[in-house]
Amino acid sequence: MNAQLLTSTPPIAEVIDELRAGVRGEVLAADDERYEAARGVVYGGIDLHPGAIVRVADAADVAAVVDIARRTGLELAVRSGGHSVAGHSSTEGGIVIDVRALRDFELDVEARTAWVGAGFSAGDLTNRLTPHGLAIGFGDTGSVGVSGITLGGGIGYLVRKHGLTIDSVLGAEIVTADGAVRVVDAEHEPDLFWAIRGGGGNFGVVTRLRFRLHELPGIVGGLFVLPATPETIAGFVAAAEAAPDDLSTIANVMNCPPVPFVAEEHHGAIVILGMLVWAGDPAGADAALAPFRALGEPLADLIHPSPYAEVYPPEDESYHPKAVSVTMFVNRIGREEATTVVDRLAASDASLRAVQIRVLGGQMARVPTDATAFAHRSSRILVNVAAFYEGEADRPARQSWVDEVAADLLQDDTGAYVNFLSAEGEARVRAAYPGGTWDRLAAIKAIHDPENLFRRNQNVPPATDASPAVSDAARLADG
């Protein structure tokens, strides 16, 4: 055990006093009138009570909080957008570093690069870049924190055109467990730079990210809703796989919500609520979209030319859904698998249940598997099975349904996407980081966080032996 750690945890009131004396940002405790709002996260069913929430003002604040957490032994959580399905954005009785005030923004339009504070959401940053005809691919939700989604990979509307979010990362500023503020990139601490591109929050608190930006004057895209049948689902997936890389899609096969753009008679029916984004020459959009439109008469076709920022519409901040989910990669969604999806969705009475299908490939697959800590470059399709639950009594049945659907769809690819994992245990985290990826991450963790201070995440514990991976990581750190 590190000699700097206290033998017992001091009273939280003492820790709060030390925090307030040591940081420029705000420190909220349970007796603060803003505490209740500040401790909330996106998903319902997560009701944690941190001992202190620190709204850090800069990297120096982060370093001070990290030092206090290390010395006191209090559990440390990091919040950006608050979208962790597992509840890792908060802690019971520990300290939350809230990075949402870190909104530095340095844009170089000519070089097409930007330094971006970790406090930005995907939607905020996209809105900043769109007037310049520039973009980064994030996910499908605008309120997700830029740092959170990036550290896990980032699979969204530009994944086939420009790859994962991490494929656009040129560098980062990160505060590690020793309190050091480091700037890492391909030339400076390349081992740590490799690890944070896919390795999640295991290695420190990222305070800024440097992105390569992509020219994107506009898109042709929007919602496309079809009745869900085995034929339309399999056809949608086949069309997405055959499409040019300029087209990325997300198909939510689900019971239709009461949306105004679908006739009321179809509300509650099982539909494909698809989002299609064409990021190429607008003149080629119609030909690329034609196979989808040939699948049948749509219930809604809202595809149109627009600025890229329209992919992130405004969200209701008061909406806190309670959901269970399982994420997986699959090799195929053909007619047999599509039949399973339709039958399983029809048999459930959850208020909302969905099988989300994201066809991958394109630029994402062209990056070498070992170039980053995201190890699933050859995976063809990402699936996320989810269901809403109403309360704790209802949750086990919904979890059982989700698990059964996932088991029905399980194929040869046993990997997992770390950003979609809930609290599922070490085996599932290992599925996100298979084989040598896990070993290399654990070795780098042993160098930069040997006490596992950053454990409130999909955790990779530090390696404890003198394995070749540890030696190689130490050599890289020294070099």
Side-chain angles (χ1 to χ4, degrees):
M1 182 63 70
N2 190 316
Q4 290 183 319
L5 291 176
L6 299 181
T7 56
S8 62
T9 303
I12 192 64
E14 292 182 13
V15 176
I16 291 168
D17 288 343
E18 186 176 0
L19 287 167
R20 285 174 172 157
V23 303
R24 291 175 52 234
E26 293 183 302
V27 179
L28 304 181
D31 58 355
D32 193 295
E33 63 180 10
R34 296 163 297 170
Y35 173 84
E36 279 299 310
R39 76 179 182 89
V41 293
V42 170
Y43 291 105
I46 300 172
D47 187 25
L48 298 175
H49 302 78
I53 301 168
V54 186
R55 293 172 167 169
V56 292
D58 51 28
D61 272 8
V62 174
V65 179
V66 165
D67 177 66
I68 291 169
R70 186 182 66 249
R71 288 189 289 101
T72 61
L74 285 169
E75 185 175 67
L76 184 64
V78 181
R79 174 183 173 144
S80 51
H83 280 258
S84 170
V85 182
H88 291 153
S89 304
S90 190
T91 172
E92 186 65 33
I95 302 172
V96 171
I97 293 178
D98 188 326
V99 302
R100 285 177 290 177
L102 302 183
R103 296 179 62 84
D104 292 348
F105 183 67
E106 300 173 21
L107 174 64
D108 187 331
V109 173
E110 184 176 346
R112 296 206 303 275
T113 63
W115 275 103
V116 177
F120 274 91
S121 70
D124 288 343
L125 182 55
T126 300
N127 282 324
R128 283 281 192 103
L129 296 174
T130 292
H132 302 282
L134 299 170
I136 306 164
F138 292 110
D140 63 344
T141 305
S143 58
V144 167
V146 160
S147 56
I149 189 171
T150 301
L151 297 181
I155 299 175
Y157 296 127
L158 300 178
V159 66
R160 288 165 57 85
K161 174 79 169 180
H162 295 301
L164 302 169
T165 308
I166 54 174
D167 299 332
S168 296
V169 175
L170 298 172
E173 181 182 80
I174 179 173
V175 179
T176 46
D178 58 0
V181 181
R182 306 169 186 267
V183 177
V184 300
D185 56 30
E187 302 298 325
H188 304 90
E189 303 199 63
D191 62 326
L192 186 54
F193 184 54
W194 176 88
I196 66 172
R197 288 176 294 154
N202 275 284
F203 304 94
V205 183
V206 168
T207 52
R208 294 195 302 160
L209 288 156
R210 184 171 181 251
F211 288 103
R212 175 190 301 110
L213 310 178
H214 305 283
E215 291 188 23
L216 190 58
I219 62 166
V220 179
L223 289 169
F224 186 73
V225 186
L226 285 168
T229 67
E231 293 76 19
T232 57
I233 296 169
F236 191 104
V237 173
E241 290 189 297
D245 293 352
D246 287 331
L247 184 68
S248 294
T249 65
I250 298 177
N252 295 290
V253 187
M254 59 190 292
N255 53 314
C256 185
V259 289
F261 50 83
V262 173
E264 188 174 350
E265 63 192 87
H266 300 295
H267 293 174
I270 307 301
V271 301
I272 303 172
L273 200 158
M275 181 69 180
L276 292 78
V277 173
W278 172 261
D281 184 341
D286 284 344
L289 297 169
F292 298 90
R293 288 174 166 146
L295 293 173
E297 184 67 28
L299 305 178
D301 184 347
L302 305 183
I303 298 173
H304 64 288
S306 73
Y308 181 62
E310 279 196 19
V311 302
Y312 297 129
E315 298 176 41
D316 181 358
E317 294 184 1
S318 67
Y319 182 54
H320 300 289
K322 297 178 180 179
V324 290
S325 63
V326 172
T327 181
M328 61 198 303
F329 294 105
V330 301
N331 304 317
R332 66 191 176 278
I333 297 289
R335 195 181 188 285
E336 179 181 349
E337 293 78 18
T339 299
T340 297
V341 169
V342 171
D343 290 347
R344 283 292 195 172
L345 288 168
S348 172
D349 63 352
S351 60
L352 188 147
R353 62 272 190 196
V355 176
Q356 185 185 82
I357 303 168
R358 305 188 189 207
V359 169
L360 306 175
Q363 181 57 31
M364 169 189 148
R366 298 188 187 100
V367 176
T369 299
D370 62 356
T372 66
F374 181 95
H376 308 286
R377 298 290 179 170
S378 62
S379 293
R380 295 181 61 183
I381 301 169
L382 173 64
V383 169
N384 198 50
V385 184
F388 281 13
Y389 64 94
E390 308 306 320
E392 287 306 309
D394 182 45
R395 182 171 182 161
R398 303 308 177 196
Q399 185 68 63
S400 177
W401 178 86
V402 164
D403 292 340
E404 290 170 2
V405 177
D408 286 346
L409 295 175
L410 183 64
Q411 298 166 23
D412 297 334
D413 190 334
T414 57
Y417 177 40
V418 72
N419 275 351
F420 285 175
L421 284 179
S422 54
E424 301 170 44
E426 182 179 312
R428 289 286 283 160
V429 183
R430 281 183 174 268
Y433 304 119
T437 301
W438 176 274
D439 294 339
R440 187 175 176 188
L441 286 171
I444 296 169
K445 179 85 167 182
I447 292 169
H448 293 288
D449 186 13
E451 301 294 335
N452 206 11
L453 175 67
F454 298 108
R455 61 188 179 273
R456 190 79 178 136
N457 45 46
Q458 301 296 349
N459 194 236
V460 179
T464 57
D465 58 27
S467 67
V470 174
S471 299
D472 289 346
R475 176 178 50 77
L476 284 170
D478 291 341

